[in-house]
Amino acid sequence: MTTTKRFTKALTYAAEAHAMQLRKGTEIPYLSHLLAVSGLVMEYGGDEHEAIAGLLHDAVEDAGGAERLADIREQFGERVASIVDGCSDTDQVPKPPWRERKIAYIDHLGHASPSVLLVSACDKLHNARTILADLRSRGAVVFERFNGGQGGSLWYYRALVDAFRENGADGGLVAELDRVVSELEVLSK
């Protein structure tokens, strides 16, 4: 896959939408996550629409809600907007309760498109990898920065692995997510 000016436009759009945001509990610019997710999408065979959605997948949840989704639709088209929408667990501000959102998101994966499954699984893989790296270096204190805490976070990631597997997400991608989540589970005991 090669990228076009649309990808460059999306990269700028993501950088501007998330400019003042950091990864939860860190000093790492949020843009690093978006770049990693888009990179994983490309590595797992995604097309440019999916790679763009990887850059924009958190914009609705964390940078503007339904108005942001409408703007993404206008700027990048229906396919990208549909993937971004499918990767968002809410467009409400304030967000509904954490567990309620996560259960609904897992249920939603049962009828998600292959593109949504790809981008979502890449998002979750990158998140799980960063949690694992922090768990190795800092210990279980890493879970204090997450709304679900240790138990809820581990439950959520295991449920995601199962949902991706059951709903036909890329087998190699799901296997890698499963490997990372299994290591999280072992190190968390």
Side-chain angles (χ1 to χ4, degrees):
M1 176 194 106
T2 58
T3 60
T4 67
K5 290 179 181 178
R6 282 182 76 239
F7 184 86
T8 304
K9 179 181 174 183
L11 179 56
T12 300
Y13 187 97
E16 290 171 355
H18 297 276
M20 302 307 294
Q21 297 173 352
L22 300 173
R23 295 282 283 166
K24 192 178 279 192
T26 75
E27 293 298 314
I28 300 169
Y30 200 80
L31 183 61
S32 69
H33 171 64
L34 306 175
L35 292 168
V37 172
S38 185
L40 285 168
V41 168
M42 289 187 250
E43 289 174 21
Y44 281 98
D47 63 22
E48 186 174 51
H49 295 284
E50 294 161 336
I52 289 170
L55 291 171
L56 304 177
H57 76 275
D58 277 334
V60 172
E61 275 181 47
D62 298 331
E67 292 169 2
R68 177 68 72 178
L69 182 61
D71 191 50
I72 289 170
R73 183 172 283 109
E74 182 179 316
Q75 298 289 323
F76 301 100
E78 181 57 39
R79 182 154 180 239
V80 170
S82 178
I83 298 167
V84 170
D85 188 35
C87 290
S88 303
D89 70 12
T90 188
D91 64 1
Q92 297 175 20
V93 179
K95 293 178 181 180
W98 182 84
R99 185 141 183 125
E100 174 185 311
R101 283 185 292 123
K102 301 311 177 189
I103 289 170
Y105 189 80
I106 291 164
D107 290 344
H108 148 78
L109 292 176
H111 51 75
S113 71
S115 293
V116 168
L117 292 172
L118 173 63
V119 175
S120 179
C122 288
D123 170 37
K124 303 319 183 212
L125 175 58
H126 185 255
N127 284 338
R129 283 177 172 171
T130 59
I131 294 168
L132 180 58
D134 285 350
L135 181 61
R136 286 180 181 141
S137 66
R138 300 184 62 220
V141 69
V142 68
F143 291 107
E144 292 176 7
R145 67 182 180 222
F146 300 109
N147 293 331
Q150 182 173 338
S153 296
L154 293 173
W155 160 80
Y156 182 53
Y157 280 94
R158 176 52 58 201
L160 287 164
V161 168
D162 295 342
F164 288 130
R165 185 171 284 131
E166 290 168 11
N167 296 300
D170 178 281
L173 176 55
V174 176
E176 177 62 8
L177 179 59
D178 187 21
R179 184 193 67 73
V180 174
V181 171
S182 293
E183 193 169 345
L184 279 170
E185 291 166 338
V186 168
L187 291 178
S188 295
K189 290 183 180 178

